Amino acid sequence: MAERTPFFEALSPRFQGFDAYFATEIAPDAPALAPRASEKRRLSWRLRALLAVAVVYLATAPFVLIFMPEGAAQFRPWVIVSYFIVLPGVLFGLLSPADAETQLAVAADVWGAARRRIAAFFGFEHAPPPEAEALRKFVELCPAPPAASAFVAHERIVGRIKAGSAAGVVVELVEGVIGEKPAAMAALRFGGPAYGVGALLDDRIDGVDRRGLESLRCDLPPGWRHLTAYADGTTVSERLTAEETLSVFAEIRDATAAEAVNLALVDDSAKMYLALTAPVFVTGEATPNAMSVSHALHDYDALVRMAEALRPMFAH
């Protein structure tokens, strides 16, 4: 039997404690999600017999061609061609890794339950998408283009981050489509007194309302094309345009497979619009397996990193 050994903490130091959590909260109901330790590959007796015959053939063919040239003359071209056909197959059979890792799939409902527990590890939960009016108000609060009025919600994640420098930050993310394009809206509430107004808007997202923002425009470091920054004060401007903030902002964009991201800061909250290239939290047609756990960890962690990157802007 293959020994099952969780190894998710090796993916990132940010996942500290998940191996034990996985073993107690997820693996008992979804053992197939655990990465399987290498299992000794066993060859069938038929394959072993074929390999034995092929090895004998490869050993005797050169002997016949060299020491019995006249008798083998009419077969020489065929022997040479067949030799170089059989040889790669034998090498593959004998020299392929003796250990093979197997990924087992799980049913959709089992994966759904496992994914909810993975989300809970970070402090999140999957909730029903907002009703029409609540969704409309949520979209209006985010720095989204006019096309977002046709946003259809498919998935909603809410919660309060459990650990790290962003512990306590309240997160709500709604993912869906605009037409056929995947998109997401996010709101992060940091708490505390009213802070100020700022924004990082991607110029590739057309039609976003920028009325009244021109007087708040501030400079970005060289190299950050496609982005325009706005801030209503020096403190907000310095934090918003810091290289560290911009770098993590770019990492978040990459981690969520977003073509472009808009960020707006209003008082104690951050609102985001993400134009995605592919769904992040909406379950696709792929069959879940152990790799799905790794992907889910990175996806939920992207929300945490998003909050951690923005937290300094709300420090007083």
Side-chain angles (χ1 to χ4, degrees), residues 64-195:
V64 172
L65 292 177
I66 294 172
F67 295 101
M68 304 174 63
E70 295 181 2
Q74 59 180 326
F75 302 108
R76 185 182 183 88
W78 183 89
V79 171
I80 294 174
V81 171
S82 64
Y83 191 91
F84 287 101
I85 292 175
V86 175
L87 179 60
V90 172
L91 291 176
F92 179 79
L94 294 178
L95 302 180
S96 59
D99 294 329
E101 186 171 300
T102 305
Q103 298 287 355
L104 301 180
V106 297
D109 58 336
V110 175
W111 169 240
R115 192 170 65 145
R116 287 192 292 273
R117 294 189 179 111
I118 298 170
F121 176 77
F122 295 92
F124 304 131
E125 63 177 297
H126 286 258
E131 298 292 337
E133 182 61 19
L135 179 62
R136 183 187 66 80
K137 292 180 178 179
F138 186 74
V139 171
E140 285 181 352
L141 292 173
C142 296
S149 60
F151 181 65
V152 178
H154 291 160
E155 189 67 80
R156 180 175 174 232
I157 298 170
V158 296
R160 187 184 298 271
I161 296 174
K162 278 186 175 181
S165 62
V169 174
V170 176
V171 177
E172 179 176 8
L173 179 137
V174 181
E175 185 181 329
V177 294
I178 300 174
E180 296 183 354
K181 290 274 296 180
M185 320 278 175
L188 296 81
R189 191 169 72 251
F190 293 83
Y195 184 63

Side-chain angles (χ1 to χ4, degrees), residues 11 26 77 95 123 155 220 223 268 276 289 302:
L11 299 175
I26 299 174
L95 302 180
E155 189 67 80
L220 287 168
D268 70 336
L276 304 175
N289 56 29

Side-chain angles (χ1 to χ4, degrees), residues 248-278:
V248 178
F249 182 80
E251 289 177 14
I252 291 167
R253 185 179 58 205
D254 295 340
T256 53
E259 290 180 348
V261 178
N262 279 346
L263 165 68
L265 310 178
V266 181
D267 296 332
D268 70 336
S269 300
K271 309 290 195 302
M272 304 186 81
Y273 167 76
L274 301 94
L276 304 175
T277 56

